[in-house]
Amino acid sequence: MNWEIEFNQIIDDILLNEKFISLKYIIHHGISRLDHSLHVARITFLVCRKFHLKNTAEITRAALLHDFFTNSNEKKAFYKHPTWALENATNEFALNDMQKNIIASHMFPICKTLPNCKESFLVSTIDKVVASYELTKYKAPIEIGAILIFVINFLAIQR
Ligand SMILES: [Fe+2]
Ligand SMILES: [Fe+2]
């Protein structure tokens, strides 16, 4: 089966959930939080599929739900959002213990809950790689542009 069809079958009910879909309105790493979550889930799925992991569907679903939070307090969110995401995910979907740990520990090593299985380490690592890519591609150029405009304006004032 084509991997995209397989991937969509695993996550289709999550994408029909109104609360989850509202993540498309929240900016995260310069793109929407929904797009970031889909990036992490897609890479997770492809890695699991490559290594023929038998719980590929469960890991992929947890990867998609890892940033399921809508709170906007950014400073607090950095440390607390795995807990918020776990609460939202368990309220909306049935999750097993492995999936709960994947979500709660994905900010390892700065979160309270530690990864207790290889699946949690996998998603945590993929999230960091994807976040670094997104920050470089979508966010840093905007900040570099803003700094350049500031410097040009500053130099113009000095003349
Ligand atoms: Fe996160
Ligand atoms: Fe993330």
Side-chain angles (χ1 to χ4, degrees), residues 53-55 59 102 115-124:
L53 300 190
K54 65 176 189 306
N55 46 5
I59 306 168
I102 287 174
N116 64 12
C117 55
K118 65 180 186 309
E119 291 84 354
S120 292
F121 277 108
L122 176 71
V123 175
S124 178

Side-chain angles (χ1 to χ4, degrees), residues 28-29 36 40 66-67 81 106-107 127 131:
H28 194 95
H29 306 154
H36 163 71
V40 175
H66 81 281
D67 276 334
H81 77 269
H106 81 269
M107 288 296 280
D127 181 43

Side-chain angles (χ1 to χ4, degrees), residues 65-101:
L65 296 167
H66 81 281
D67 276 334
F68 185 11
F69 69 103
T70 52
N71 318 41
S72 56
N73 186 336
E74 286 297 325
K75 230 176 179 179
K76 216 170 153 195
F78 191 69
Y79 299 100
K80 296 238 170 169
H81 77 269
T83 311
W84 298 338
L86 178 62
E87 200 182 313
N88 288 329
T90 47
N91 283 342
E92 302 291 327
F93 306 100
L95 302 177
N96 63 29
D97 287 345
M98 178 201 71
Q99 290 175 308
K100 288 177 187 171
N101 185 255

